[in-house]
């Protein structure tokens, strides 16, 4: 019966035993995972766009090769995540089209423009850095196919973070103009990076249930604090500052205290009114339309082969 299934599921979660694709699960658990994994996948593929803006203008062949490899990794992460979502019974095409139609979200951070070369380093350092803090926690998420995807993604993400920091270090050790460019980029990406963790715990409608199901292992605010604590020493090592006059070390708690996030800006961006929402979704829609013949040709080829085999 459903009660027996539910009791077994609850006991499995309580015992910290992962849930596999073929296990019984409550429908709301399945829907929450499709939402979160789907949004995560969309973020990876939309996240390719801001960096791609600088591919043709990378300052050296070495930087260009590194950036190309990183962007290809993001495509790969999108594919692992779409596959993980599909294990829950959704169709990849359906959730992708929902993203194109603005019915599914992707991370707020990718709606900001990349205005200078330092942004490429700062995205690797701060954006991938924030992503790792969130994703390391997700390696222990209760849904096994999602957790397994995260393990590989985290390894690649940590390489991304280091390449970003190394690029930022090169600029910090460069000319006054390069240091100014780096500081300008940090000023623009600092607050949006903190927003990646989502609303505060008191304003996060999904957190309580997702924590109870052990989909989320740490709250939005806990992970945001961990990111700030990790990052401030790195900022200081570069000789740069954060655009936050309230940022300071608090000896008593052993944490950095930081100022108030502009939540109006956050909600504007996730409702579709950020600086680049229109451009990002427009680019993906154009790519989807212009790739239609490739999808159709691949299907026709597969059908022909299947007919031959029969
Ligand atoms: N942006 O109740 P909560 C990457 C939405 S890393 C947009 O707290 P939840 C790597 C949230 O969906 C970025 N929307 O929700 C990379 C919900 O709306 P809904 C991707 C946000 O799910 C680097 C509503 O607000 N990482 O791509 C954001 O419990 C460089 C209420 O929020 C992930 O997706 C936001 N920042 O917690 C790639 C990690 N925050 O769905 C390329 C997996 C919240 O009810 C280049 N996801 N919302 O309509 C998660 O861990 C969670 O989903 C949270 C949100 C923590 C993001």
């Amino acid at each position: 019966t459903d009660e027996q299934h539910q009791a077994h599921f609850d006991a499995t979660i309580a015992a910290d035993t992962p849930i596999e694709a073929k296990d019984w699960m409550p429908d709301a658990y399945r829907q929450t995972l499709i939402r979160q994994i789907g949004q995560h996948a969309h973020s990876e593929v939309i996240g390719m766009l801001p960096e791609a803006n600088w591919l043709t203008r990378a300052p050296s062949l070495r930087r260009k090769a590194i950036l190309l490899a990183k962007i290809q990794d993001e495509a790969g992460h999108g594919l692992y995540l779409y596959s993980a979502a599909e294990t829950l019974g959704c169709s990849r095409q359906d959730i992708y089209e929902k993203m194109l139609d603005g019915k599914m979200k992707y991370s707020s951070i990718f709606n900001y423009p990349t205005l200078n070369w330092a942004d490429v380093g700062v995205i690797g350092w701060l954006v991938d850095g924030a992503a790792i803090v969130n994703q390391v926690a997700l390696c222990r998420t209760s849904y096994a196919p999602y957790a397994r995807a995260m393990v590989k993604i985290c390894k690649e993400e940590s390489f991304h973070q280091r390449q970003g920091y190394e690029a930022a270090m090169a600029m910090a050790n460069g000319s006054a103009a390069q240091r100014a460019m780096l500081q300008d980029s940090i000023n623009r990406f600092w607050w949006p990076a903190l927003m990646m963790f989502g609303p505060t715990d008191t304003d996060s409608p999904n957190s309580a249930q997702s924590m109870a199901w052990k989909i989320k292992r740490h709250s939005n605010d806990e992970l945001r604090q961990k990111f700030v604590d990790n990052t401030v020493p790195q900022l200081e090592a570069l000789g740069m500052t954060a655009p936050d006059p309230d940022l300071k070390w608090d000896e008593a708690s052993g944490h950095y205290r930081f100022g108030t996030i502009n939540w109006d800006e956050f909600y504007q961006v996730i409702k579709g009114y950020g600086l680049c929402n229109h451009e990002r979704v427009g680019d993906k829609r154009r790519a989807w339309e212009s790739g239609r013949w490739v999808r159709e040709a691949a299907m026709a080829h597969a059908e022909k082969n299947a007919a031959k085999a029969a």
Side-chain angles (χ1 to χ4, degrees):
T1 66
D2 271 2
E3 281 102 83
Q4 282 168 326
H5 283 313
Q6 181 72 50
H8 184 258
F9 174 85
D10 292 344
T12 308
I13 295 286
D16 268 338
T17 306
I19 304 293
E20 292 289 349
K22 288 184 176 160
D23 293 344
W24 184 93
M25 61 187 86
D27 196 51
Y29 177 83
R30 187 185 298 280
Q31 295 312 322
T32 294
L33 281 166
I34 292 174
R35 175 184 66 79
Q36 177 167 329
I37 302 172
Q39 288 180 168
H40 198 162
H42 302 329
S43 303
E44 297 285 354
V45 298
I46 293 264
M48 299 166 76
L49 296 171
E51 292 172 296
N53 186 35
W54 284 89
L55 261 182
T56 54
R57 289 169 288 165
S60 68
L61 180 61
R62 175 172 170 267
R63 292 288 176 202
K64 182 168 177 151
I66 295 170
L67 184 57
L68 255 180
K70 178 185 191 295
I71 295 171
Q72 286 179 351
D73 286 351
E74 313 297 359
H77 297 175
L79 294 181
Y80 312 153
L81 286 162
Y82 283 122
S83 298
E86 283 185 308
T87 65
L88 292 155
C90 67
S91 116
R92 181 184 304 202
Q93 173 147 348
D94 177 61
I95 60 174
Y96 196 75
E97 289 186 337
K98 284 193 170 117
M99 183 269 288
L100 294 179
D101 292 341
K103 291 180 196 146
M104 264 181 100
K105 297 187 171 80
Y106 56 89
S107 183
S108 50
I109 190 74
F110 303 118
N111 294 307
Y112 291 85
T114 41
L115 302 179
N116 66 34
W117 167 257
D119 289 357
V120 169
V122 167
I123 287 178
W125 168 39
L126 295 182
V127 175
D128 287 81
I132 295 172
V133 168
N134 168 276
Q135 291 173 153
V136 163
L138 288 173
C139 291
R140 290 177 51 250
T141 192
S142 58
Y143 186 57
Y146 191 22
R148 281 192 287 268
M150 281 301 120
V151 174
K152 193 162 181 218
I153 290 178
C154 282
K155 287 183 185 164
E156 294 178 351
E157 222 73 285
S158 97
F159 152 71
H160 294 171
Q161 195 270 350
R162 277 150 195 261
Q163 72 79 32
Y165 194 66
E166 194 267 343
M169 237 159 41
M171 298 194 77
N173 293 327
S175 65
Q178 285 173 310
R179 279 194 295 279
M181 195 189 280
L182 178 61
Q183 184 63 61
D184 170 62
S185 174
I186 294 167
N187 291 349
R188 285 180 289 106
F189 277 98
W190 180 261
W191 289 111
L194 297 193
M195 293 176 197
M196 288 174 69
F197 297 93
T200 56
D201 296 347
T202 43
D203 289 327
S204 162
N206 300 301
S207 277
Q209 183 59 77
S210 288
M211 299 276 281
W213 278 326
K214 298 183 183 172
I215 293 174
K216 287 168 94 165
R217 293 284 187 164
H218 300 280
S219 77
N220 296 358
D221 286 330
E222 279 167 19
L223 293 176
R224 186 170 12 248
Q225 183 65 55
K226 191 168 172 43
F227 171 70
V228 172
D229 291 343
N230 288 350
T231 309
V232 176
Q234 296 167 359
L235 188 67
E236 285 168 356
L238 292 175
M240 295 288 139
T241 58
D244 178 0
D246 297 323
L247 183 69
K248 60 171 187 297
W249 174 248
D250 176 34
E251 191 67 50
S253 65
H255 292 294
Y256 286 92
R257 291 283 157 238
F258 52 95
T260 311
I261 291 171
N262 182 346
W263 292 112
D264 286 343
E265 176 180 322
F266 170 77
Y267 287 110
Q268 284 297 108
V269 173
I270 69 171
K271 279 184 203 143
Y273 306 117
L275 287 170
C276 300
N277 297 59
H278 197 70
E279 180 184 338
R280 300 291 183 239
V281 175
D283 283 349
K284 283 297 179 196
R285 182 171 286 289
R286 260 189 305 283
W288 180 249
E289 294 303 334
S290 62
R292 183 178 301 280
W293 72 272
V294 179
R295 293 190 298 278
E296 286 171 0
M299 288 306 285
H301 182 69
E303 276 158 24
K304 218 157 89 186
N305 279 354
K308 243 190 253 164

